[in-house]
Amino acid sequence: IFKFFHSSSPSSSQQHSASTSGAGTQRWKDYDSPEEFNFARDVLDYWAQMEEEGKRGPGPALWWVNSQGDEIKWSFRELRDLTRRTANVFEQTCGLKQGDRLALILPRVPEWWLVTVGCFRTGIVFMPGTTQLKAKDILYRLQTSQAKAIVTTGSLVPEVDSVASECPTLKTKLVVSDHSHEGWLNFRSLIKSVPPDHTCVKSKMKDPMAIFFTSGTTGFPKMAKHNQGLAFRSCVPSCRKLLNLKTSDILWCMSDPGWILATVGAMIEPWASGATIFIHHLPQFDPKVIVEVLFKYPITQCLAAPAVYRMILQQKITNLRFPSLEHCTTGGESLLPEEYKQWEQRTGILIHEIYGQSETGISCAVSREMKVKRGSIGKAILPFDIQIIDEKGNILPPNTEGYLGIRIKPTRPLGLFVEYENSPEKTAEVECGDFYNSGDRATVDEDGYFWFLGRSDDVINASGYRIGPTEVENALAEHPAVAESAVVSSPDLNRGEVVKAFVVLTPEFLLHNQEQLTKDLQQHVKSVTAPYKYPRKVEFVAELPKTVTGKIKRKELRLKEYSQRR
Ligand code: BCO
């Protein structure tokens, strides 16, 4: 890919127009809902044309680097051509068509952006997943979504091949790799051989665009299905105010491409404004690398999980005054007021918080020009009407704890998920009167600022990951040492919350060394399911607290964890 798509610095003859502030997206108003919308055609191709007319600055659309010194810079024009080729690979080579589902499991490589935009162009529904997924996780996703295609990286080929025969709908396997893999089409080779002309599909706003798998208290992850409204929403003025991006801005969103935060923060948001997306490959999280990168490149904005800021602060680095950084945003879990203060003192920059879920995209935020109230997730972003509600959907007054709800009646706002696919009962469960009930507890103050308090259910929010306890309990149950287990959230200084497993041992393992057993169980969970879910804390107990009907009382265990000091 480096040879074919060489790094393209902007031509010096290109007109350096003054940086524009989301000019291309002022075509729409907050409550607009055009019948047709396609992010590739209506936004990316617009910016490509602005480049052709010399009306956009010289910054690339995508600026990708890795630790080996490789670099790719693509303008919107190059991106347009490459993603048209991608669309042709999907349609002509693979025979995929509008509405087909494509599982997208790639690390932070430039092809992730080609594939997602290729999906926009063809109307294929993309389903991002983290590369931490294991064979069983992938099997579940392919089967439940009836995926026709998967695009993944070389290291995951064996995991996919071990389950592919159990997925009758899967017709296309595309690998992003410099090597050939038997039974797989090679994306990097194919994209060179297809023509660069493609006509973008005329997608309706209500056509599905993406599916995000999201964990719940029980069972397997649910499929939160979004239509084109998720992308359109970022183009309206209220959403543009969130980061106030200009075409000259360079935004680094560090989220793994498997999460909705990357789809929104590392693609839709910046490109809606014609800004530059900066990506560092970051195969392994290292706060020192992040600091180096922020000193080396002219990044003006960054968006990262609270744990990232926290872990940077914990490094013994004397200078955190980054030369170009102007604005920092965080989301996914909470940051402590003390951490906000320290970041501000050491960098001179305030952290602005956002709030959202796979179901909602970014729904609340402390927008760039808003006053920061440390610890608040900010105000609702139009067209969402957010209220604090009780379990019947009644609106509660300010400073009263309740559920964070988004109004869905009489009109379901664009940008909110459409449904949990194949699960009308789970979709109905989160509908509460006129509202979607997020399941998150919160309050709102007199100024309209929301304050996140925590989950109302057993879902664990560790380092910004939403983890369903049963997914971890099921993984533990496969180990011979585990008679039964209960998995709950436990407070942690570094990660906000971590996964803790209470384990009842089988008789044969009762006398085993518990330190070793803890390591074995952790390793086991990492090997059978995505490793971010592994229990960082394990406690062996003689029995688990249960109700008279035999249901494990996770809440009791969780409350015990939180009643002890962090
Ligand atoms: O900590 P350990 O070393 O014991 O374990 C780590 C990894 O080393 C390990 N691992 C990863 N890949 C593996 C593997 N082990 C075996 N095989 C593999 N292939 O598993 C553990 C993974 O934990 P982690 O991901 O938390 O790792 P790390 O490196 O500590 O990363 C820290 C963070 C902060 C970078 C990471 O936790 C993170 O990215 N968190 C943010 C998640 C996020 O973006 N959430 C947003 C969701 S979307 C949303 O909220 C909606 C907003 C609109």
Side-chain angles (χ1 to χ4, degrees), residues 212-216 220-224 358-359 420 466 471:
F212 300 92
F213 284 78
T214 182
S215 296
F220 292 102
K222 297 170 278 186
M223 293 196 286
S358 299
E359 289 87 341
Y420 296 120
R466 182 162 144 177
E471 292 169 46

Side-chain angles (χ1 to χ4, degrees), residues 490-501:
S490 176
D492 179 80
L493 272 180
N494 286 339
R495 291 168 186 270
E497 295 176 34
V498 290
V499 174
K500 174 160 182 180

Side-chain angles (χ1 to χ4, degrees), residues 132 134 521-532 534-535:
Q132 289 195 28
K134 299 287 175 200
L521 291 177
Q522 290 175 327
Q523 199 44 48
H524 165 76
V525 174
K526 280 185 178 181
S527 70
V528 296
T529 191
Y532 68 83
Y534 87 90

Side-chain angles (χ1 to χ4, degrees), residues 132 255 259 285 305 307 332 356 463-465 495 526 531-532 534 536:
Q132 289 195 28
S255 174
W259 312 116
F285 173 68
S463 307
Y465 295 118
R495 291 168 186 270
K526 280 185 178 181
Y532 68 83
Y534 87 90
R536 288 179 189 268

Side-chain angles (χ1 to χ4, degrees), residues 106-287:
L106 284 178
R108 297 173 182 87
V109 289
E111 288 84 355
W112 187 86
W113 284 263
L114 300 186
V115 171
T116 45
V117 180
C119 286
F120 287 131
R121 292 200 183 282
T122 50
I124 293 167
V125 182
F126 63 94
M127 305 183 293
T130 166
T131 49
Q132 289 195 28
L133 295 176
K134 299 287 175 200
K136 267 192 179 174
D137 307 309
I138 296 172
L139 173 65
Y140 169 73
R141 283 160 191 248
L142 294 175
Q143 283 183 337
T144 20
S145 64
Q146 304 207 311
K148 289 258 175 68
I150 184 164
V151 182
T152 194
T153 182
S155 62
L156 279 176
V157 160
E159 300 274 345
V160 177
D161 278 343
S162 70
V163 297
S165 63
E166 297 168 63
C167 307
T169 57
L170 188 69
K171 299 286 177 241
T172 298
K173 294 187 295 178
L174 276 160
V175 63
V176 174
S177 167
D178 289 331
H179 310 286
S180 60
H181 296 262
E182 209 187 317
W184 287 73
L185 296 170
N186 189 296
F187 182 82
R188 286 183 178 161
S189 310
L190 284 172
I191 197 171
K192 296 179 204 168
S193 62
V194 287
D197 302 316
H198 179 268
T199 306
C200 189
V201 74
K202 288 188 174 174
S203 48
K204 300 254 188 292
M205 189 69 86
K206 294 207 165 146
D207 286 342
M209 186 191 95
I211 290 174
F212 300 92
F213 284 78
T214 182
S215 296
T217 301
T218 54
F220 292 102
K222 297 170 278 186
M223 293 196 286
K225 183 164 83 181
H226 280 269
N227 61 23
Q228 310 290 326
L230 180 67
F232 177 75
R233 182 164 182 246
S234 288
C235 301
V236 302
S238 280
C239 221
R240 305 281 8 98
K241 284 192 202 135
L242 170 67
L243 301 173
N244 236 348
L245 285 160
K246 303 178 291 302
T247 52
S248 55
D249 270 308
I250 301 177
L251 171 74
W252 183 14
C253 169
M254 294 175 213
S255 174
D256 180 287
W259 312 116
I260 193 170
L261 193 54
T263 298
V264 176
M267 180 169 60
I268 295 171
E269 269 293 316
W271 281 348
S273 296
T276 298
I277 294 170
F278 179 89
I279 296 296
H280 188 287
H281 185 232
L282 269 186
Q284 224 141 36
F285 173 68
D286 182 348

Side-chain angles (χ1 to χ4, degrees), residues 23-25 27 40-51:
T25 53
R27 291 173 281 169
R41 182 197 60 198
D42 298 332
V43 178
L44 300 186
D45 294 353
Y46 169 87
W47 287 115
Q49 196 179 331
M50 289 297 105
E51 284 179 351

